[in-house]
Amino acid sequence: MSAEALALVFAAAVIHAAWNALAKRGRDQFVFLWCAVSGATVVLLPLALWTAGANGIPRAATPFLAGTIVVHALYFYALGRSYGAGDFSLVYPIARGLGVALVPVLALALFREALSPLGTLGVALVVGGIVVLQLRPDLWRARDARSGRLGPGTAWALVTGVSIALYSVIDKGGVRVLHPVPYIALMGAGLSLLLLPAVLRRRAALRHEWTTNWRAILLASTLNLTGYLLVLFAFRMSKVGYVVAARETSIVLSVLIGSWWFREGRLRVRLIGAAIVLTGVACVAFAR
């Protein structure tokens, strides 16, 4: 993985952990996320039109844009539900880690991107570190003692993880045929429109969220699509499995944020898991 791609991904990881923490603090996380994405899209659309230029949007990009809009809509809905039901330091690592595990499988099938032995070890260490992060029984909440079913926080985190894997491989293909700036702007616009009916059914929550959290929403808007734009540029430079794995350094930040800012505890065990994740990322960084 090139130094340029790695730098982009590390910057994206910091940005991603920051805006997710802001979303977790929102009263209605789904509405907060919609506001943040919509605000970022308004800013990016003029730049996207200028970047697309006279050539416009190629037809080859249409299926990728349609696919990523639908999957991102599922992602943001599931992410909002998981943050509303579970601890930040629990659901964030589950969601991100599942994406790391699934993306190399999908990339091998779709793009013939076979990982090197060192890259495979790195991805495995990232996933293993995430497992360690979940070792505290009273925070796992994976099963309800009476029903034997997945708890809502964990269940929605798993849905989020599957959607991460799906949109990652879609977007890897999409930025091959369309510049990342118009690609992400059109994705954000389509996503905002697709989720608008669900948001309008929460008018009271929308008014309250904007009234009480408008500063955090504006900050998250700045960070949200900007962070993923860096990932899209990294997709052009490196294998999608490596990019997604290296991006999960944000898990380390989520552990610190959850333990210190949200007071979710168990910092020592989670730092061990974070160290394993970082070791895996180092392997990915040196893989070819």
Side-chain angles (χ1 to χ4, degrees):
M1 191 173 185
S2 68
E4 292 83 1
L6 194 60
L8 290 176
V9 174
F10 280 166
V14 174
I15 292 171
H16 192 272
W19 73 254
N20 273 262
L22 292 172
K24 171 63 177 173
R25 292 181 70 245
R27 183 180 180 88
D28 187 310
Q29 288 83 6
F30 172 66
V31 171
F32 184 102
L33 289 166
W34 182 85
C35 291
V37 171
S38 299
T41 301
V42 170
V43 174
L44 279 175
L45 272 176
L47 179 60
L49 294 175
W50 179 79
T51 305
N55 295 328
I57 308 302
R59 286 187 179 180
T62 302
F64 295 104
L65 286 168
T68 197
I69 287 169
V70 172
V71 175
H72 267 91
L74 172 62
Y75 163 72
F76 278 108
Y77 181 78
L79 183 64
R81 293 294 299 269
S82 66
Y83 284 160
D87 293 320
F88 183 70
S89 57
L90 169 68
V91 298
Y92 189 100
I94 291 174
R96 305 310 306 181
L98 183 58
V100 172
L102 292 178
V103 163
V105 178
L106 295 175
L108 176 61
L110 297 174
F111 303 126
R112 309 272 180 177
E113 288 187 356
L115 301 185
S116 69
L118 185 59
T120 302
L121 175 61
V123 172
L125 285 172
V126 169
V127 176
I130 291 162
V131 171
V132 172
L133 289 170
Q134 312 308 312
L135 289 180
R136 185 178 175 185
D138 61 320
L139 280 183
W140 172 243
R141 299 178 189 171
R143 292 188 176 275
D144 182 272
R146 292 172 294 178
S147 67
R149 290 182 292 183
L150 288 173
T154 299
W156 283 112
L158 293 174
V159 175
T160 305
V162 172
S163 65
I164 289 169
L166 291 174
Y167 76 60
S168 294
V169 295
I170 292 171
D171 293 345
K172 168 69 174 182
V175 295
R176 286 180 170 181
V177 295
L178 179 62
H179 190 277
V181 172
Y183 184 89
I184 198 170
L186 291 172
M187 181 269 286
L191 173 62
S192 296
L193 291 174
L194 185 60
L195 293 178
L196 182 60
V199 173
L200 291 178
R201 288 196 292 269
R202 306 184 187 200
R203 286 185 177 89
L206 179 60
R207 286 193 297 270
H208 184 273
E209 201 67 45
W210 181 254
T211 300
T212 58
N213 286 327
W214 65 270
R215 292 181 181 85
I217 288 171
L218 291 178
L219 179 57
S221 294
T222 303
L223 299 175
N224 192 323
L225 295 186
T226 302
Y228 195 57
L229 183 61
L230 299 180
V231 174
L232 294 181
F233 277 108
F235 280 158
R236 287 187 154 196
M237 302 177 185
S238 184
K239 294 180 179 179
V240 63
Y242 293 162
V243 171
V244 172
R247 189 187 182 195
E248 299 323 313
T249 48
S250 60
I251 289 173
V252 179
L253 299 176
S254 76
V255 170
L256 297 175
I257 292 170
S259 297
W260 289 342
W261 192 10
F262 298 138
R263 301 185 183 279
E264 294 169 356
R266 291 298 291 234
L267 180 60
R268 181 181 299 178
V269 172
R270 295 181 180 187
L271 283 178
I272 293 173
I276 297 174
V277 171
L278 284 177
T279 303
V281 170
C283 293
V284 170
F286 289 107
R288 291 292 184 268

